[in-house]
């Protein structure tokens, strides 16, 4: 049995007496992609912050996070492990160019000089498949779309070559097409890499397209953990079954009855010919 | 032939942004009959929300017409506009920003009832109770500040406030997108039940084609300001005609077991 990256033992977090996480115990294996599934109030974001050592000052932590994967030293946030959050608009510096923003991690943690760090940044921005790199290196975050900003945040996280990437709801502010692109990118970035991914989401179906293991959180507790396919096929907890049942995709039953009458009669005859099919005149 | 509740014809809107002109909505036309749902789907920046704001008259179009309940909606003024406005309500993505956070649930509903003079003052209390019951909010939540409600409760309250003015049409712009999946499903069921009970029409806007398919009778797909495809829901999702629709279909996560 290989050494896990992290061992979580009886971990609890409370904010001013309010419990957010309650007695979590599980291991994060090295490599691989672990999904943390949870709804609002499940404690999933507290877990992300506890794992990265970035809990706010009013948080009280008890229990232990061990790091056998880091030879039992405390990994440094921003270098050994990186956290990407839902809203890149707040995690990127609004007055720093994209190039410098990504280069900073490589400069600070890998000890590169600025020119080398900037060259490294350009490589990373290409790896997250951003277009027009020459222009983009000198652009500011507000000039990018939400999906592009999230790619920049991922590139900045990768700059220090972390062993652990924690992604906390990083696609939930994006539209579905962009979300699918970001998930494909994460899959490719972690496929042939030793980097471990902890992918935190409320969407169990989305997680199933990316992750090999799955931990389900509910009201601060771990309700189950196991291989993704097993959890989906045989959920060990009623709450997990509820989450799976709430999923809606293109094969789900529609919620409205099938209307026999047609909608067409209210359409003008000219709409039925050209405009309706193509939207052009 | 019966008039559709809402008829949008050739609607266009251009924004000037940093010296550039952006065609946000371009020559959009559709009909929405009574008691039906039109799903408007597209990626971020496709023009969905601008179209919603044009239909709601929150912004003015450069060209085109909107007919609501058979009237020229864009030329209504004064008392006629106020009366018609009560019949067209809206629910947005973030109910936290749609309410005064210090208002209580009941005062938010009371304002809507008072401004539009829906019921006599002495009946207002009973009407608030009826509205909260209709959307599945416990009476105990009446005195709760809106800021202390959960996301799902706030969105139910936003729907109750929309219902307060006895509307015919509710424009829902990404109204479920910020909610957990379980809550999302409950609100979808609520919308369907309200439609059946009150004969409401919905313009249901979302980037999630699976959710739109579940609730909409017809779907219009938007891209770069245009409606690129429009038709019966099963036709659009089952036999998509454009690459835009195909990409939206491919992007829906499926449970991989």
């Amino acid at each position: 049995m290989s050494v896990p990256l992290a061992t979580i033992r009886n971990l609890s977090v409370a904010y001013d007496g309010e419990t957010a996480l309650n007695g979590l115990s599980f291991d994060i294996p090295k490599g691989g992609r672990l999904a943390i599934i949870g709804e609002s109030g499940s404690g999933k974001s507290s877990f992300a912050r506890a794992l990265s050592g970035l809990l706010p000052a009013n948080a009280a932590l008890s229990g232990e996070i061990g790091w056998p994967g880091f030879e039992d030293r405390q990994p440094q946030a921003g270098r050994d492990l990186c956290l990407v959050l839902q809203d890149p608009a707040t995690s990127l510096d609004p007055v720093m160019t994209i190039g410098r923003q990504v280069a900073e991690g490589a400069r600070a943690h890998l000890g590169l000089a600025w020119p080398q760090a900037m060259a490294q940044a350009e490589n990373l921005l290409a790896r997250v498949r951003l277009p027009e790199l020459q222009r983009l290196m000198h652009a500011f975050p507000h000039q990018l779309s939400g999906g592009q900003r999230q790619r920049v945040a991922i590139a900045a996280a990768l700059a220090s070559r972390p062993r652990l990437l924690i992604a906390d709801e990083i696609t939930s502010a994006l539209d579905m097409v962009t979300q699918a692109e970001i998930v494909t990118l994460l899959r490719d970035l972690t496929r042939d890499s030793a980097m471990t991914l902890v992918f935190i989401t409320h969407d169990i179906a989305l997680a199933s397209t990316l992750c090999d293991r799955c931990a389900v959180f509910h009201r601060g507790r771990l309700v189950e953990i196991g291989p993704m396919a097993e959890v989906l096929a045989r959920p060990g907890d009623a709450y997990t079954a509820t989450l799976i049942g709430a999923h809606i995709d293109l094969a789900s039953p529609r919620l409205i009855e099938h209307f026999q009458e047609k909608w067409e009669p209210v359409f003008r005859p000219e709409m039925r010919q050209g405009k309706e099919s193509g939207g052009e005149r | 032939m019966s008039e559709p509740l809402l008829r949008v014809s050739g609607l266009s809107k251009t924004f000037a942004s940093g010296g550039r002109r952006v065609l946000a909505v371009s020559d959009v036309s559709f009909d929405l009959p009574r008691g039906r749902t039109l799903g408007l789907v597209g990626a971020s920046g496709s023009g969905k929300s601008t179209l919603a704001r044009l239909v709601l008259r929150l912004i003015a179009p450069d060209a085109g017409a909107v007919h609501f309940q058979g009237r020229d909606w864009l030329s209504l003024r004064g008392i006629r506009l106020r009366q018609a406005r009560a019949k067209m309500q809206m629910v947005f993505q973030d109910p936290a920003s749609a309410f005064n956070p210090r208002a209580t649930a009941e005062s938010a509903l009371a304002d809507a009832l008072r401004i539009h003079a829906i019921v006599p003052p002495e009946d207002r209390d009973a009407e608030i109770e009826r509205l909260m019951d209709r959307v599945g909010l416990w009476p105990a939540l009446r005195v709760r500040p809106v800021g202390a409600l959960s996301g799902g409760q706030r969105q139910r309250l936003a729907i109750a406030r929309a219902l307060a003015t006895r509307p015919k049409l509710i424009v829902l712009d990404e109204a479920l997108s910020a909610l957990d999946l379980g809550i999302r499903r409950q609100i979808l069921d609520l919308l369907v039940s309200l439609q059946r009970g009150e004969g409401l029409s919905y313009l249901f806007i979302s980037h999630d084609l699976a959710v739109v398919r579940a609730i909409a009778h017809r779907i219009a797909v938007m891209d770069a300001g245009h409606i690129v495809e429009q038709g019966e829901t099963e036709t659009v999702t089952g036999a998509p005609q454009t690459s835009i629709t195909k990409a939206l279909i491919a992007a829906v996560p499926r449970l991989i077991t």
Side-chain angles (χ1 to χ4, degrees):
Chain A
M1 188 87 190
S2 65
V3 177
L5 182 80
T7 55
I8 290 127
R9 293 295 174 266
N10 207 22
L11 178 71
S12 296
V13 172
Y15 301 96
D16 303 324
E18 288 231 15
T19 303
L21 279 180
N22 196 342
L24 299 182
S25 294
F26 61 97
D27 291 353
I28 300 177
K30 233 186 247 181
R33 304 186 279 247
L34 170 69
I36 306 280
I37 315 286
E39 298 188 293
S40 316
S42 64
K44 59 189 197 291
S45 292
S46 293
F47 176 72
R49 291 183 178 280
L51 200 59
S52 356
L54 295 173
L55 282 171
N58 66 335
L61 182 149
S62 65
E64 271 174 41
I65 302 176
W67 295 101
F70 286 96
E71 297 79 38
D72 292 321
R73 71 181 164 81
Q74 183 65 36
Q76 191 186 332
R79 185 184 66 194
D80 303 313
L81 61 81
C82 285
L83 178 62
V84 181
L85 299 170
Q86 176 175 342
D87 183 7
T90 58
S91 49
L92 296 175
D93 185 334
V95 294
M96 193 187 267
T97 62
I98 299 302
R100 277 185 88 86
Q101 202 126 198
V102 176
E104 198 178 52
R107 200 188 63 85
H109 296 301
L110 304 179
L112 300 183
W114 272 112
Q116 284 78 32
M118 289 297 269
Q120 174 72 354
E122 198 170 330
N123 287 337
L124 287 164
L125 290 168
R127 260 183 90 193
V128 297
R129 293 190 217 111
L130 280 162
E132 299 179 64
L133 292 182
Q134 284 308 319
R135 189 186 62 81
L136 195 90
M137 289 282 286
H138 301 99
F140 291 93
H142 76 270
Q143 295 169 303
L144 275 54
S145 71
Q148 289 173 332
R149 277 199 293 259
Q150 205 54 292
R151 286 171 193 270
V152 171
I154 293 169
L158 296 177
S160 63
R161 299 196 199 113
R163 275 190 256 176
L164 172 60
L165 182 68
I166 304 165
D168 186 5
E169 289 282 12
I170 67 168
T171 65
S172 51
L174 305 175
D175 68 59
M176 301 287 276
V177 173
T178 312
Q179 166 174 282
E181 289 168 5
I182 294 285
V183 165
T184 301
L185 173 67
L186 285 178
R187 196 183 294 124
D188 293 347
L189 288 173
T190 49
R191 181 174 290 137
D192 303 311
S193 150
M195 185 172 72
T196 305
L197 174 69
V198 172
F199 184 75
I200 299 173
T201 177
H202 66 281
D203 188 339
I204 195 165
L206 182 67
S208 80
T209 65
L210 176 64
C211 297
D212 42 48
R213 277 179 79 74
C214 165
V216 180
F217 285 18
H218 183 44
R219 294 184 181 163
R221 291 177 185 276
L222 175 72
V223 298
E224 74 177 291
I225 183 165
M228 192 83 224
E230 267 180 40
V231 170
L232 287 177
R234 286 174 297 280
D237 188 276
Y239 176 71
T240 312
T242 312
L243 283 183
I244 295 170
H247 169 69
I248 294 175
D249 66 22
L250 292 168
S252 307
R254 291 174 66 196
L255 301 175
I256 47 175
E257 59 249 54
H258 188 73
F259 286 91
Q260 290 303 309
E261 46 170 327
K262 284 288 180 189
W263 186 311
E264 259 74 16
V266 299
F267 273 79
R268 297 180 288 280
E270 72 273 13
M271 286 189 72
R272 243 187 271 172
Q273 290 150 16
K275 288 176 67 178
E276 216 185 328
S277 55
E280 300 136 0
R281 276 179 217 258
Chain B
M1 188 189 279
S2 74
E3 270 281 313
L5 178 70
L6 180 73
R7 167 166 289 176
V8 168
S9 318
L11 215 50
S12 295
K13 178 72 180 177
T14 302
F15 291 115
S17 159
R20 287 187 312 144
R21 289 169 62 75
V22 179
L23 192 57
V25 168
S26 177
D27 193 18
V28 163
S29 300
F30 60 83
D31 280 6
L32 175 54
R34 285 162 218 278
R36 294 289 182 271
T37 300
L38 175 67
L40 191 59
V41 66
S44 303
S46 59
K48 308 186 295 291
S49 291
T50 302
L51 179 55
R53 283 163 170 71
L54 289 169
V55 168
L56 287 161
R57 261 189 81 168
L58 299 178
I59 50 175
D62 301 331
V66 177
H67 286 84
F68 178 55
Q69 296 183 302
R71 290 223 183 100
D72 180 359
W73 164 241
L74 299 180
S75 68
L76 290 179
R77 296 282 178 273
I79 184 74
R80 290 233 157 129
L81 173 61
R82 182 126 58 100
Q83 284 167 348
R85 263 211 191 288
K87 298 295 170 193
M88 189 195 292
Q89 290 290 303
M90 65 204 87
V91 177
F92 293 137
Q93 172 169 354
D94 182 10
S97 64
F99 289 102
N100 171 356
R102 275 183 271 179
T104 59
E106 66 179 354
S107 69
L109 296 177
D111 283 350
L113 293 171
R114 193 188 65 247
I115 291 164
H116 290 283
I118 304 298
V119 291
E122 63 270 23
D123 295 344
R124 217 173 269 157
D125 220 42
E127 181 66 6
I128 290 170
E129 196 169 315
R130 189 190 72 84
L131 287 166
M132 291 187 64
D133 179 64
R134 195 75 191 83
V135 299
L137 288 173
W138 300 335
L141 297 173
R142 281 182 71 135
V143 293
R144 191 78 62 89
V146 176
L149 296 175
S150 72
Q153 289 168 342
R154 264 201 296 260
Q155 207 54 300
R156 285 176 192 272
L157 185 65
I159 293 169
R161 185 173 61 180
L163 291 175
T165 63
R166 315 253 167 102
K168 298 291 181 199
L169 169 65
I170 302 183
V171 177
L172 300 125
D173 188 1
E174 299 285 5
L176 309 181
S177 307
L179 302 174
D180 285 327
L181 298 187
I183 309 289
R184 186 181 297 183
R185 179 58 195 268
Q186 291 168 15
I187 303 275
L188 274 173
D189 287 338
L190 171 64
L191 290 173
V192 170
S193 124
L194 290 171
Q195 181 166 65
R196 273 186 207 140
E198 337 250 329
L200 285 168
S201 298
Y202 298 131
L203 180 58
F204 186 91
I205 299 171
S206 173
H207 62 266
D208 186 338
L209 184 60
V211 169
V212 169
R213 173 184 165 277
I215 195 175
H217 301 90
R218 260 183 103 79
I219 292 181
V221 180
M222 273 193 93
D223 180 57
H226 295 265
I227 290 184
V228 295
E229 187 164 356
Q230 186 175 166
E232 296 287 326
T233 295
E234 294 288 12
T235 311
V236 171
T237 58
Q241 298 299 305
T242 63
S243 60
I244 304 294
T245 313
K246 287 172 188 166
L248 288 167
I249 289 172
V252 174
R254 290 158 183 79
L255 278 166
I256 308 232
T257 50

